[in-house]
Structure formats: structure tokens, C-alpha cells
Amino acid sequence: MDEGRRNTATEFSYILQRQASDESVEEHAFDDIKSLMKNDNTKSDTMSTLAQTSFNYINSIVGSGVIGIPYAFHRAGFGLGFLLLILVAVITDYSLILMVRCGHICGRFSYPGVMEAAYGKWGYYFLSLLQFMYPFLAMISYNVVVGDTLSKVLIRFIPSLETSMGIVRFGVVFVVTVCVVIPLCLYKNVSRLARASFISLACVVFILFAVICKFISGDYDLVPDTPESWRFAHIDVIPATGIMAFAFMCHHNTFLVYQSMRDASLERWEKVTHISIGFAFCVAALFGIAGYATFRALSQGDLLENYCWDDDLMNFSRILFSISILLTFPIECFVSREIVKAQIDRAKGIESSDLDKERDPSQEKGDDDEHSVRITLAIVLTAFFISPMTECLGPVLELNGLLAAIPLAYILPGLAYIQMEPHSWTSREKLPAVGLVVFGTIVTIAGAAVLLPGLLGDCKSNIDLGYCKSYDDLSASVNKSRLLTTMKTRT
């Protein structure tokens, strides 16, 4: 009991010292996702129960990254890949709990606030850089996915376009960017899109159902085996870790979800985190097992790319996935835009109170509107012009996971806790955080050394694989094979 009181007193003293000595710390640091939502004066009436909080958190975790899990199994090997997925889930669970502990230590319940409390303005700037990089690379990956998926659906109805896939893909991304993405990204308030994130989750669940159905039905039994199909381990563990980290990335939403919870406490937050990560792990594992078991060593970075172009169920899944992407794209753009605006405002010397106070969009000045429009167009068009440089989703997921998601998810939370927790870094309280930082640092450095020199070396895209002669022929071949097997059995 006395030890606990001394620890509490030490932490409280640390908070007072940090707040007194670092005048640059904002009272309410900029929080990217929180800026999507308007403050509500009836907060007590809208607080979430533990179950509702878990559902909201699951919404923020389960997303487009799960379709890359079979490819991650291919890179790491099926057995080692599954064990690695468990490890990433456990480490992510610990880092999410660690972030909220940091918030309680420093009294700052936002990710930028925690980093600024721990490392001053340089911690804030470094976090802002990573928070911009993560959604920006995600937008590039969304362009790649939309180009891949919708072009396949278009070719289903106009087969003659198959001979010019590159042009079709570029045209699809251009039309979607001009007609859909830019208008959505120019909205002043995208809170409705943020609240509609359950639509994205519903789309992902349907796609998972379709993937499992295709595996059970045996429609792709003619997919050939290779010597690498069921190897336990491969050497590409680092890129696979990046993909898995991207699939579990949700740390920018942590404090928003925590503050929305009724009777919030560390104990209740641990339950929410365990439930949410557990559910996300089950979804990712099912995607990985069903997808890899269907295509094995032929698994691509975008799992939907493996299915035949005339497979109507998977074409419908492609449309749903594109809808999910288009609902997520404006939110990622909003995050990037607000980070750029925040840095510009800081460079101009605008006080933190001006950054934090809520403004009525109808009362905003025209100059500010033009400023936001210019930044939005610059971000969206830059992502558009970069995306044609690769037609492969796998390398983009690996790059974003290794250079942005892993530092955001593992390295920075661990460093913040090490800095603010009063015990020695060799103590029982800090050793797990030290291990988290070491793991994240090794994976990031090794990943950059391995991935960047041959970023597109393992690129596979727009390949109509041999088993996709035609969906009818494939089904007939499978039925014929089953008939021959039955006849042999009877004889």
C-alpha cells in the first residue's frame, strides 16, 4: 500500500514538473481523428457502454489491411506467418493499453499531447510527420486498390478492354478521383463519414464470408501447388510484419474511443482492448487461412486480385471493397490536411488556443476556405500521380507498415512510457516497454534496408493466372475431376 502511494505521489510530482517546465505543451494538443467530430454538450447522454466502445474500436481496427494477410502468410511462410500474426496482435494489445497509461501519467489524453509531454516540441513534430505519412501512404494504397478492383469489374462487362489494362486502370482511378474523391474530400465536416465506418466493417465481413465460401466450395481447386506452397517459414518475415502491423493500426483513434467510454478506467480499457484486438485477430486469421489455403504461394498483395475476372460473387465483393475504400479515403485526407494546416499555423505563431477552439464552418472566412481547398487538392492530386508508379498493393502495404505503422504503434508509445514512468528502465514496469521499442526499431531498420532497394521486385499485378481460363471451364474441370474420382472409387 505504501509503495503504491509513493508511486502515485511520484507520478503526480512528475506531472507538475513537466507542466511547469515545458511551456510549449498545449492544453489540448491537436488530435487528428477527434477533429472529425463536433463536441457535444450532452456528453453524459452519449457515453458508450463497454460493449459499444468495443464495437467502435473494432470498427477502427478492422479495415482494408486484412486483405493483405494471405500475402503476408506467403512472404513469411504459412506456419511462421500465423505465429507472427499472434505476436503482432499481442504486442498491439499491449501498446494500446500503454498509450492510455501514458495519458494518465501526464494528464494529456491525445497522442500528440502524450508525445509533447514526453519529448517537447520535437516529439510533437516527429509524431506529426508520421501521422501525415501514414494516411498519405494509405491514400496511395486506396488508389491502387480502386484501380485494380473496379477495372476488373469493368472488364467483366466490356471484355475487349482486357487488352489495355494499364490504360483502363489509370482511367478508372482518374474518374474516381475527379468525380468522387475530390468532392468528398472538400467537405468541411466529414463526421457523417466517420460515424458511418460500420458500413466499411460490414463490407469487410461480407468479403470474408465470400472468401470462405469460395474456399469451401472448391471453385478454385485447380489452383496449382508449388514447392513453396506449404512451407512452414520463409525469410521475408520483416515485410510480412509490416503488412500485419498495418492491418492492426488504430492508435490514432485510441484516445477518442477511450474518452467516449462510460466510467472510463484503465481496467475497463484493458477489457475493451482485449475484446477488440481479439475480434480483429479472428477476422485477420480467417482471411489469412481461407485466402492462403485457396491460392497458397500465388497469393497477391490484394487478395481480390487472385479471383477470376468472371467470378460474379467476387466482383460484387470488389464493388463493396471499393465502397469501403471511398468512405475511408476522405477521412485519411482530412487527417493529412489538418496536420499540414496545424504545422502552417504553428509556423505563423498562432497560439494553441486558436488551434483548439471550435469554429462554426458557416462563419469561417473565405481565405481559410481557399487555404483548405488548396491543401486538399495538393494532397489528393499528389497521391493520384504517385499511385501509377506501382500496380502492386503488397509493396505499398509493406512500406506503410514498416515506415509509419510500426513506429506509430510500437516505438513511440514505448518511448513515451519509458520517458514518463518514474521507475528505472530495467525495472519490471519498464522492461516490456523497452522490449516493445527494441522490437519496433529492429523491424523498421531491417525493413527499410530490405524493402527500399527492391521495392517492386516481387510485384505481381494484372496477371490472369492459368486457372482463370474461364469460370465455366474451371467449374466443368472440377466437376469432371470429381466424377473421375468417384468412378475410380466405385470400380
Side-chain angles (χ1 to χ4, degrees):
M1 180 67 70
D2 292 338
E3 179 68 20
R5 290 175 179 173
R6 283 196 295 271
N7 291 342
T8 302
T10 304
E11 291 180 2
F12 182 71
S13 175
Y14 173 82
I15 295 170
L16 295 179
Q17 291 174 4
R18 290 291 304 179
Q19 291 178 340
S21 61
D22 190 356
E23 296 179 357
S24 68
V25 175
E26 299 176 14
E27 183 179 357
H28 302 288
F30 170 73
D31 190 349
D32 48 12
I33 300 299
K34 190 174 182 180
S35 299
L36 294 171
M37 316 295 286
K38 290 186 176 181
N39 293 331
D40 192 348
N41 293 329
T42 60
K43 187 175 181 180
S44 59
D45 297 331
T46 60
M47 301 296 280
S48 302
T49 64
L50 190 145
Q52 292 170 335
T53 304
S54 300
F55 180 76
N56 291 336
Y57 213 24
I58 290 169
N59 272 344
S60 69
I61 299 172
V62 179
S64 60
V66 293
I67 67 168
I69 299 299
Y71 179 70
F73 282 6
H74 160 59
R75 296 298 298 265
F78 180 73
L80 182 59
F82 186 78
L83 295 177
L84 185 63
L85 186 66
I86 296 175
L87 176 64
V88 170
V90 171
I91 293 176
T92 302
D93 181 275
Y94 172 71
S95 68
L96 293 172
I97 295 173
L98 200 65
M99 286 183 65
V100 174
R101 288 180 184 172
C102 291
H104 278 274
I105 292 175
C106 67
R108 306 282 298 282
F109 290 91
S110 74
Y111 200 171
V114 167
M115 287 306 299
E116 195 166 19
Y119 293 100
K121 63 179 182 179
W122 294 112
Y124 175 89
Y125 287 135
F126 184 63
L127 176 68
S128 298
L129 174 64
L130 292 177
Q131 282 190 310
F132 174 82
M133 183 187 303
Y134 176 79
F136 182 74
L137 289 175
M139 286 188 285
I140 294 175
S141 70
Y142 295 161
N143 283 337
V144 174
V145 170
V146 170
D148 288 340
T149 55
L150 293 186
S151 61
K152 302 301 185 298
V153 176
L154 188 60
I155 287 175
R156 172 62 171 147
F157 296 101
I158 312 177
S160 60
L161 295 176
E162 182 180 343
T163 57
S164 53
M165 273 298 300
I167 298 175
V168 172
R169 182 178 175 278
F170 182 86
V172 166
V173 177
F174 176 78
V175 171
V176 169
T177 298
V178 172
C179 299
V180 180
V181 170
I182 290 179
L184 289 177
C185 291
L186 289 176
Y187 279 161
K188 296 178 182 177
N189 183 4
V190 293
S191 59
R192 290 184 179 181
L193 291 176
R195 295 189 184 101
S197 61
F198 74 92
I199 297 176
S200 177
L201 177 62
C203 292
V204 171
V205 171
F206 180 88
I207 295 169
L208 174 60
F209 173 77
V211 169
I212 294 175
C213 284
K214 286 297 175 181
F215 168 63
I216 295 176
S217 68
D219 287 344
Y220 290 86
D221 283 352
L222 292 185
V223 175
D225 272 319
T226 70
E228 298 182 351
S229 290
W230 291 105
R231 282 189 181 177
F232 180 83
H234 291 299
I235 61 173
D236 295 329
V237 175
I238 299 299
T241 305
I243 295 173
M244 294 174 184
F246 178 84
F248 282 98
M249 179 63 192
C250 59
H251 294 63
H252 49 304
N253 289 340
T254 296
F255 288 106
L256 175 63
V257 177
Y258 178 71
Q259 291 175 347
S260 72
M261 183 170 57
R262 185 180 303 158
D263 300 325
S265 66
L266 282 175
E267 291 75 15
R268 288 172 61 82
W269 178 248
E270 288 182 6
K271 292 181 181 178
V272 168
T273 303
H274 296 334
I275 293 171
S276 303
I277 293 296
F279 183 88
F281 168 78
C282 291
V283 172
L286 288 174
F287 259 106
I289 294 172
Y292 186 83
T294 304
F295 300 105
R296 300 175 289 283
L298 299 180
S299 299
Q300 299 188 50
D302 180 354
L303 177 63
L304 299 180
E305 281 287 280
N306 280 109
Y307 293 95
C308 300
W309 298 357
D310 53 358
D311 187 337
D312 290 329
L313 175 60
M314 300 315 298
N315 279 333
F316 182 65
S317 298
R318 289 179 173 118
I319 294 174
L320 289 182
F321 194 60
S322 297
I323 292 174
S324 173
I325 292 298
L326 293 178
L327 287 176
T328 308
F329 198 113
I331 299 175
E332 303 290 3
C333 181
F334 183 91
V335 171
S336 300
R337 182 182 69 206
E338 292 304 307
I339 290 174
V340 172
K341 289 173 64 177
Q343 302 313 310
I344 293 174
D345 288 339
R346 278 202 166 201
K348 291 179 179 179
I350 298 178
E351 297 295 330
S352 61
S353 58
D354 294 331
L355 288 174
D356 297 325
K357 68 181 182 182
E358 184 177 356
R359 293 171 291 183
D360 184 356
S362 64
Q363 302 298 322
E364 291 181 356
K365 297 180 181 180
D367 292 342
D368 185 68
D369 288 344
E370 294 178 3
H371 187 54
S372 296
V373 169
R374 286 195 295 268
I375 295 175
T376 301
L377 291 177
I379 292 172
V380 173
L381 293 178
T382 301
F384 167 74
F385 285 115
I386 292 177
S387 58
M389 294 181 182
T390 176
E391 297 181 357
C392 303
L393 181 62
V396 180
L397 295 180
E398 293 168 4
L399 186 68
N400 202 0
L402 292 171
L403 301 186
I406 288 179
L408 284 171
Y410 307 144
I411 299 177
L412 296 188
L415 287 176
Y417 187 76
I418 292 171
Q419 175 71 7
M420 292 188 294
E421 216 282 331
H423 291 87
S424 167
W425 70 272
T426 57
S427 64
R428 183 183 61 182
E429 289 78 9
K430 280 190 177 181
L431 275 180
V434 173
L436 188 68
V437 173
V438 171
F439 171 81
T441 303
I442 292 175
V443 172
T444 299
I445 295 175
V450 171
L451 182 64
L452 293 179
L455 188 59
L456 303 180
D458 193 37
C459 184
K460 296 184 298 181
S461 180
N462 295 333
I463 300 174
D464 191 9
L465 299 173
Y467 56 81
C468 286
K469 307 168 190 175
S470 76
Y471 200 63
D472 293 335
D473 291 345
L474 187 146
S475 299
S477 299
V478 173
N479 291 333
K480 182 179 179 181
S481 176
R482 290 173 177 169
L483 179 61
L484 290 175
T485 302
T486 303
M487 293 174 63
K488 290 179 180 179
T489 303
R490 290 178 177 176
T491 57

